[in-house]
Amino acid sequence: MGESLIKICIVEDNKYMREGWQTILDFEPDFCVLGAYNSCESAFESGEINRSNVVLMDIELSGMTGIEGVRYLKIHQPKINVIMATVFDDDRNIFDALCAGAVGYLTKKVSPEELCHAIRDAYRGGSPMTPQIARRVISSLHESPDDETKLNERELQILNQLATGNSYKTIAEEIFLSVDGVRYHIRNIYEKLQVNNRSEAVAKGLKKRII
Amino acid sequence: MGESLIKICIVEDNKYMREGWQTILDFEPDFCVLGAYNSCESAFESGEINRSNVVLMDIELSGMTGIEGVRYLKIHQPKINVIMATVFDDDRNIFDALCAGAVGYLTKKVSPEELCHAIRDAYRGGSPMTPQIARRVISSLHESPDDETKLNERELQILNQLATGNSYKTIAEEIFLSVDGVRYHIRNIYEKLQVNNRSEAVAKGLKKRII
DNA sequence: TGAAACACTGCATATTCATGCAGTACTAAC
DNA sequence: GTTAGTACTGCATGAATATGCAGTGTTTCA
């Protein structure tokens, strides 16, 4: 593993960027650029991409976008480490790309050194990204003590039961309460969560990560 | 901002580790260790912690655990950047800590240089963590093409409507279909998701990240 | 040309849910 | 010692949901 070449493919529609990257990467002794393509379609057609260890993928491509491309690759060649490269660093793009299967996310202003480091990092099982992007990803995990959505123990317990699909009757049996007792708490849950039915409550609970 | 000191607190129950860190950090010209405590309780009592920019928190503490500590801090002093330091690097701990509000996660085998770098990184809005931990976090975001839970466009559309709490009638109006047409798809969704009611379907859809 | 498979529509019925109103028991505060 | 709040129980009713069965029209494959 130590001496093996890292096989790389580049998918980027801007010719100058693409060739610039290729030149930089080819200069590294442990890198081998298998191919550089201007679209996902041409990259997938070539077949070279299937042999690569790391793919550097632009996000804004005509035809199949980079996000669609990474999703496709993730399904067909899950071992390939895709690094997204983009001029955009808005939350939506970052999340869509990472959720679709990218392991890292770089903005295009990275230096050649950072680029090379990121590729090695991705190859070795890391997740290269700028500290700012890392922070955004982490922030998305944080529990939101945002508003006054404070459910107590009993309510959380019941909301969890709601999410499992149990009927009021079953819930009542599970938690040793009357059906009307269950009802009582559910009314309160609905009010606190500002919803008026079961599935909306479950959706909100899951989105707010309180269950 | 450039010349300001980074104010740091350490919460770590192992005396040698705690003093070792303090010595390392005190040696840096841009760091100022406000206090070093052996428990969350003593740290919070002192009040110094409220003035700090970065807190280095052990995860395995007696009394209030590091995770409870970071959750408490996040609520009361949300601007403080907490870095979790631990000998454990299992998924459960990583996630609990990051979800509770930690911005970074280090294992205790970090070098002094890495530690200092991590603190500066956290202070500047980054999220210091080892590449392996970063990858685990990213992997958790990845869509799971795990099993045969393939809902088609229409079904996804309807499942999303279910999650908003709309009634069949409303959904039918929204997507220009008869109520029985909505019913038809919902039956199929239930079968594919192996559930038999609305909220269970919503819960499963959200957990599998397909909506 | 015929059989499936798919995407609906239509209807019937038992179950479950949402919600309003009334009452009890316990605790803490004034 | 009354008042207020919390945690229930109980009941009633209309609305929504789950599910079974019987169609129709279109596309696809043999």
Side-chain angles (χ1 to χ4, degrees):
Chain A
M1 169 127 175
E3 78 284 353
S4 68
L5 282 178
I6 302 179
K7 298 193 283 288
I8 304 167
C9 272
I10 299 169
V11 186
E12 161 65 59
D13 59 353
N14 182 291
K15 187 182 175 210
Y16 302 103
M17 197 107 220
R18 188 171 68 240
E19 292 177 356
W21 278 347
Q22 181 156 16
T23 306
I24 292 166
L25 300 181
D26 268 333
F27 201 73
E28 298 292 311
D30 56 335
F31 287 176
C32 169
V33 178
L34 296 183
Y37 310 92
N38 67 358
S39 70
C40 286
E41 288 84 349
S42 57
F44 295 154
E45 264 171 36
S46 84
E48 283 296 359
I49 205 167
N50 298 324
R51 293 175 46 232
S52 56
N53 304 119
V54 175
V55 170
L56 207 54
M57 172 105 64
D58 186 19
I59 209 167
E60 52 271 9
L61 295 167
S62 55
M64 188 186 282
T65 68
I67 287 171
E68 290 160 355
V70 70
R71 187 171 289 124
Y72 176 90
L73 265 183
K74 193 76 199 165
I75 292 168
H76 295 86
Q77 299 289 336
K79 284 184 189 159
I80 298 177
N81 297 297
V82 182
I83 300 174
M84 229 66 196
T86 172
V87 290
F88 302 126
D89 67 342
D90 58 292
D91 284 356
R92 192 69 258 145
N93 269 305
I94 295 171
F95 276 95
D96 286 349
L98 294 177
C99 289
V103 304
Y105 197 103
L106 300 177
T107 52
K108 286 187 176 172
K109 59 190 176 201
V110 287
S111 66
E113 298 74 46
E114 287 170 325
L115 179 62
C116 295
H117 182 269
I119 288 174
R120 293 191 187 96
D121 192 4
Y123 178 65
R124 296 195 196 111
S127 270
M129 63 186 86
T130 63
Q132 287 67 31
I133 288 175
R135 176 68 73 101
R136 293 212 202 167
V137 172
I138 299 309
S139 295
S140 78
L141 292 179
H142 288 176
E143 292 158 0
S144 50
D146 46 359
D147 42 30
E148 282 309 306
T149 309
K150 304 253 182 217
L151 299 191
N152 61 35
E153 273 309 306
R154 198 100 227 206
E155 288 163 350
L156 284 176
Q157 185 184 26
I158 290 178
L159 186 52
N160 270 297
Q161 291 278 338
L162 286 181
T164 70
N166 286 345
S167 70
Y168 291 3
K169 186 159 155 282
T170 310
I171 296 174
E173 284 160 9
E174 289 274 339
I175 66 172
F176 308 107
L177 206 63
S178 74
V179 173
D180 282 301
V182 173
R183 252 190 252 283
Y184 163 75
H185 287 294
I186 287 176
R187 284 168 215 230
N188 292 340
I189 293 172
Y190 286 179
E191 179 158 14
K192 287 189 185 178
L193 256 37
Q194 290 288 299
V195 300
N196 44 26
N197 64 59
R198 218 183 138 124
S199 33
E200 205 180 346
V202 169
K204 208 148 191 172
L206 282 165
K207 281 177 186 160
K208 281 178 180 286
R209 295 171 195 282
I210 57 183
I211 50 176
Chain B
M1 167 127 176
E3 77 285 352
S4 67
L5 281 180
I6 303 179
K7 297 192 284 286
I8 303 167
C9 272
I10 298 169
V11 186
E12 159 67 59
D13 59 353
N14 181 292
K15 187 182 176 210
Y16 301 103
M17 195 109 218
R18 186 171 69 241
E19 292 178 357
W21 279 348
Q22 181 156 17
T23 306
I24 292 166
L25 300 180
D26 268 334
F27 202 74
E28 298 294 310
D30 55 336
F31 288 176
C32 170
V33 178
L34 295 184
Y37 309 92
N38 66 357
S39 71
C40 286
E41 288 84 348
S42 56
F44 296 154
E45 264 172 37
S46 84
E48 283 295 359
I49 205 167
N50 298 325
R51 291 176 45 232
S52 57
N53 305 118
V54 176
V55 170
L56 207 53
M57 172 104 65
D58 187 18
I59 209 168
E60 53 272 10
L61 294 167
S62 55
M64 188 184 283
T65 69
I67 289 172
E68 290 161 356
V70 69
R71 186 171 291 124
Y72 176 90
L73 265 184
K74 194 74 199 167
I75 292 167
H76 296 86
Q77 299 288 336
K79 283 187 189 158
I80 298 177
N81 297 297
V82 181
I83 300 174
M84 229 65 195
T86 171
V87 290
F88 302 126
D89 65 342
D90 59 292
D91 285 356
R92 191 71 258 145
N93 269 305
I94 294 171
F95 276 95
D96 286 350
L98 294 177
C99 289
V103 303
Y105 197 103
L106 300 176
T107 52
K108 286 186 176 172
K109 60 190 177 201
V110 288
S111 66
E113 298 75 44
E114 288 171 323
L115 178 64
C116 294
H117 182 268
I119 288 174
R120 291 191 188 96
D121 193 3
Y123 179 64
R124 295 196 197 109
S127 269
M129 62 187 88
T130 65
Q132 286 67 31
I133 288 175
R135 175 69 72 98
R136 294 210 201 167
V137 172
I138 299 309
S139 295
S140 79
L141 291 180
H142 288 177
E143 293 159 0
S144 51
D146 47 359
D147 43 29
E148 283 309 305
T149 309
K150 305 253 181 216
L151 298 191
N152 61 36
E153 272 309 306
R154 197 101 230 206
E155 288 162 352
L156 284 176
Q157 185 185 26
I158 289 177
L159 186 52
N160 269 297
Q161 292 277 337
L162 287 182
T164 68
N166 286 345
S167 70
Y168 292 2
K169 185 158 156 284
T170 310
I171 296 174
E173 284 160 9
E174 290 273 339
I175 66 173
F176 307 107
L177 206 63
S178 73
V179 172
D180 283 301
V182 173
R183 252 190 253 282
Y184 163 75
H185 287 295
I186 287 176
R187 283 169 216 232
N188 293 339
I189 293 171
Y190 286 0
E191 179 156 15
K192 287 189 185 179
L193 256 39
Q194 291 287 300
V195 300
N196 44 25
N197 63 60
R198 214 180 142 127
S199 32
E200 206 181 345
V202 169
K204 208 148 190 172
L206 283 165
K207 281 177 187 161
K208 280 180 181 285
R209 295 170 194 283
I210 57 183
I211 49 177

